[in-house]
Amino acid sequence: MELTLIMNQSNKSISELTKVLKEAIGKTPPNGNPLVSHKFGADPYPLIYQDRVYLYATNDEIEYDENGDVTDNTYAGINTLTVISSSDLVNWTDHGEIPAAGPDGAAKWAKNSWAPAITQKVIDGKDKFFLYFANNGSNIGVLTADSPLGPWTDPIGQPIISRETPGVDGVPWIFDPAVLVDDDGTGYLYFGGGIPDEEYEMPNTARVIQLSDDMILTVGEAKPIPAPFMFESGGINKYNGRYYYSYCSNFYTSDRPAGVPGAGEIAYLTSDHPMGPWTYQHAILKNPGYFFNVSGNNHHAIFEFKGTWYISYHAQTLSAAMGIEKGYRSTHLNKIYFDEEGQIEPIQADLQGVEKVKNLNPYETMEAVTMAWQAGINVSKPSDTNFNEHDRVVSEIKQGAWLAVSSADFEHAAKECVVHLASETEGVSIEIRLDSIDGQIVGQVDVPNTGGKWKELSFPVEVDKGIHDVYFVFKGDTNQSLFELASWSFNK
């Protein structure tokens, strides 16, 4: 997907813009939010696995009318999910899309794939992964895999939650799943939303149901969760033995009683059991419009990583920066804090984001689709379909484009850089700069025309010992795509 900026009644791609400005759009150094700026990602949901955070999201893509103008996001054609991951929370790897629904998806019976939820469970001694998704508001599907990145299969060939599921009567929207595997291995699925018969104050549309041991079927009846002004985006966490059900409130415009969430806010309830009874607590995250001056729906998930708690949520900050505030959403991350009584304190959303949890190792081979910031690049499958070493590469690299990683720890001086790329263009070069887009040049290489074949190039660099942000700046004599980049590394 190439994001598009609307300026002066004409469509100008981010790549074309950076040919002149070489400026990031939507995410600017040193900010951490949104997490990526080369594509969108809504309704984020985390999986913590092997010291990485994987975030699965609805794959918002720009829609156009017959005149080529950007239209409002209808969500109607979304049938893939998108995945990014990080081990440090500042550099994010783009793993591409999951074909979840539709004729090319794992669940061919489903039309859409929205609002994913994922978990991992050891079954028969092996790690198994379970990905739940909303087929619009009609029902919920489940996919399984042996890896967080798939391949994904549909184990039951039908929805796991549907109108026929016991206990879903009165739920207008069967969507927005959240999943919990409790300490005893029992799984629970949370879902629901909507407002029946204008029952804004207590819609009674949130539900929880137990899952089978294999996580692909339900057990018993779905139980209601009494969430005041419930609208969507249910979430579930366990903290110090208590269960926290969080959700997004509706947009009721009349006066609300004291002590309930405002319009489009994230609030939560607590319980001593995963299926209730529940006690309402308070709102914790205001609508994105409060923080970013661009409102919209509010969707979240809370998780713990390396002893610290975070909230992932979406906002239209990238699309606003592009001039298309039409429902295209991007994933953000901020910290959350619990007080001494286990209450979640009000959350401050911002563009700054969260600090790194560790430094990046520049001596390891790094996938080029791992980045903190960028301007003018795309991510796609390699053009050479026979290239199997990397599933996704940086592509559509044009004159003036760049990408950067944060906090590379050069424990020793680096003397060489190795890049893996494929080019069909002459007059192309890569500059390596430190700490900013116009920082010190520590290395440069002219990229040969490889005939579209993948080739490793090594070239000298001079990087002193220290921690640096590293910028790869791409230059060429043409406005066409310059080359594709798969990986890079430094040597001592």
Side-chain angles (χ1 to χ4, degrees):
M1 177 183 70
E2 182 173 347
L3 302 183
T4 305
L5 180 70
I6 309 303
M7 299 179 61
N8 301 325
Q9 303 301 315
S10 64
N11 291 349
K12 182 178 289 187
S13 72
I14 290 179
S15 300
E16 294 167 333
L17 184 70
T18 54
K19 177 182 177 183
V20 179
L21 299 180
K22 299 179 183 175
E23 291 183 353
I25 295 176
K27 182 183 184 182
T28 57
N31 287 340
N33 284 330
L35 300 186
V36 298
S37 60
H38 64 282
K39 68 176 185 180
F40 300 113
D43 312 321
Y45 201 96
L47 170 73
I48 314 303
Y49 184 67
Q50 294 184 344
D51 289 329
R52 291 189 74 85
V53 176
Y54 293 81
L55 284 169
Y56 300 74
T58 305
N59 190 28
D60 283 7
E61 292 188 280
I62 294 177
E63 299 180 37
Y64 300 91
D65 63 18
E66 62 275 8
N67 299 317
D69 295 323
V70 177
T71 65
D72 289 338
N73 190 356
T74 67
Y75 321 111
I78 299 175
N79 57 19
T80 60
L81 304 169
T82 183
V83 190
I84 60 175
S85 77
S86 178
S87 62
D88 56 28
L89 302 185
V90 294
N91 297 295
W92 291 89
T93 302
D94 184 354
H95 298 288
E97 293 69 49
I98 296 172
D104 298 322
K108 293 178 171 50
W109 54 266
K111 179 181 179 181
N112 299 120
S113 55
W114 302 349
I118 185 166
T119 194
Q120 171 264 338
K121 183 177 178 181
V122 176
I123 296 179
D124 296 330
K126 297 181 180 179
D127 288 341
K128 297 291 183 180
F129 299 86
F130 302 90
L131 180 61
Y132 305 88
F133 68 92
N135 177 31
N136 48 73
S138 300
N139 43 53
I140 293 171
V142 57
L143 305 179
T144 59
D146 295 329
S147 157
L149 300 177
W152 298 94
T153 58
D154 180 353
I156 57 176
Q158 62 184 10
I160 184 173
I161 304 288
S162 69
R163 297 288 170 194
E164 287 68 46
T165 301
V168 303
D169 291 346
V171 179
W173 298 337
I174 302 177
F175 71 172
D176 288 3
V179 62
L180 170 75
V181 177
D182 209 353
D183 299 335
D184 64 359
T186 305
Y188 300 89
L189 195 66
Y190 301 74
F191 62 94
I195 306 167
D197 302 323
E198 298 187 357
E199 294 290 339
Y200 295 99
E201 186 166 348
M202 186 55 73
N204 197 34
T205 56
R207 296 290 187 272
V208 54
I209 195 167
Q210 185 177 327
L211 293 172
S212 58
D213 290 341
D214 59 10
M215 304 290 287
I216 60 175
L217 299 172
T218 59
V219 176
E221 181 177 339
K223 301 299 183 183
I225 302 172
F229 289 87
M230 167 69 187
F231 191 55
E232 59 183 347
S233 180
I236 186 66
N237 291 92
K238 190 175 185 180
Y239 175 78
N240 285 351
R242 299 173 73 194
Y243 301 87
Y244 289 67
Y245 174 79
S246 47
Y247 67 100
C248 179
S249 64
N250 61 47
F251 290 84
Y252 180 61
T253 56
S254 297
D255 292 339
R256 297 177 182 233
V260 299
E265 295 184 350
I266 303 301
Y268 76 100
L269 304 87
T270 58
S271 176
D272 293 327
H273 189 275
M275 297 188 71
W278 301 92
T279 301
Y280 176 77
Q281 301 298 334
H282 57 264
I284 54 175
L285 181 66
K286 293 184 179 296
N287 189 269
Y290 178 85
F291 303 102
F292 306 117
N293 297 316
V294 52
S295 297
N297 70 338
N298 204 355
H299 199 110
H300 78 295
I302 295 170
F303 65 94
E304 182 185 15
F305 184 58
K306 295 186 179 296
T308 299
W309 286 83
Y310 301 90
I311 185 168
S312 58
Y313 59 95
H314 67 222
Q316 295 185 62
T317 50
L318 174 58
S319 56
M322 296 167 61
I324 51 169
E325 300 174 19
K326 296 178 180 291
Y328 301 99
R329 304 153 298 176
S330 297
T331 294
H332 289 225
L333 201 62
N334 282 102
K335 282 186 177 181
I336 70 170
Y337 299 91
F338 293 84
D339 67 17
E340 293 180 354
E341 297 180 351
Q343 295 287 307
I344 300 175
E345 298 179 357
I347 297 161
Q348 179 65 40
D350 56 37
L351 293 178
Q352 180 179 349
V354 303
E355 63 266 24
K356 64 187 178 184
V357 299
K358 68 174 187 178
N359 294 321
L360 181 144
N361 183 355
Y363 305 109
E364 292 181 348
T365 298
M366 188 65 55
E367 293 182 74
V369 293
T370 298
M371 64 195 86
W373 311 282
Q374 66 82 32
I377 63 95
N378 196 6
V379 170
S380 67
K381 287 183 174 294
S383 297
D384 182 357
T385 56
N386 294 318
F387 182 64
N388 298 318
E389 293 183 44
H390 297 268
D391 188 54
R392 293 294 190 279
V393 299
V394 174
S395 61
E396 309 224 2
I397 300 171
K398 296 181 181 179
Q399 157 65 21
W402 56 268
L403 63 84
V405 294
S406 175
S407 302
D409 188 357
F410 291 89
E411 295 183 346
H412 307 277
K415 300 298 184 182
E416 181 185 54
C417 182
V418 180
V419 294
H420 199 180
L421 53 76
S423 172
E424 295 184 282
T425 309
E426 306 288 347
V428 176
S429 66
I430 302 173
E431 289 179 353
I432 298 181
R433 295 175 177 262
L434 297 184
D435 300 320
S436 71
I437 186 63
D438 56 357
Q440 175 190 3
I441 298 177
V442 295
Q444 183 171 343
V445 64
D446 293 329
V447 178
N449 185 337
T450 68
K453 301 299 182 182
W454 288 91
K455 181 177 181 179
E456 279 195 352
L457 298 178
S458 61
F459 55 98
V461 297
E462 294 184 5
V463 184
D464 293 334
K465 178 181 178 180
I467 298 173
H468 298 282
D469 298 339
V470 181
Y471 285 72
F472 296 82
V473 182
F474 310 118
K475 296 186 175 182
D477 298 328
T478 175
N479 288 329
Q480 302 301 312
S481 179
L482 304 180
F483 58 91
E484 294 179 338
L485 181 64
S487 65
W488 57 265
S489 64
F490 288 88
N491 293 322
K492 302 174 185 177

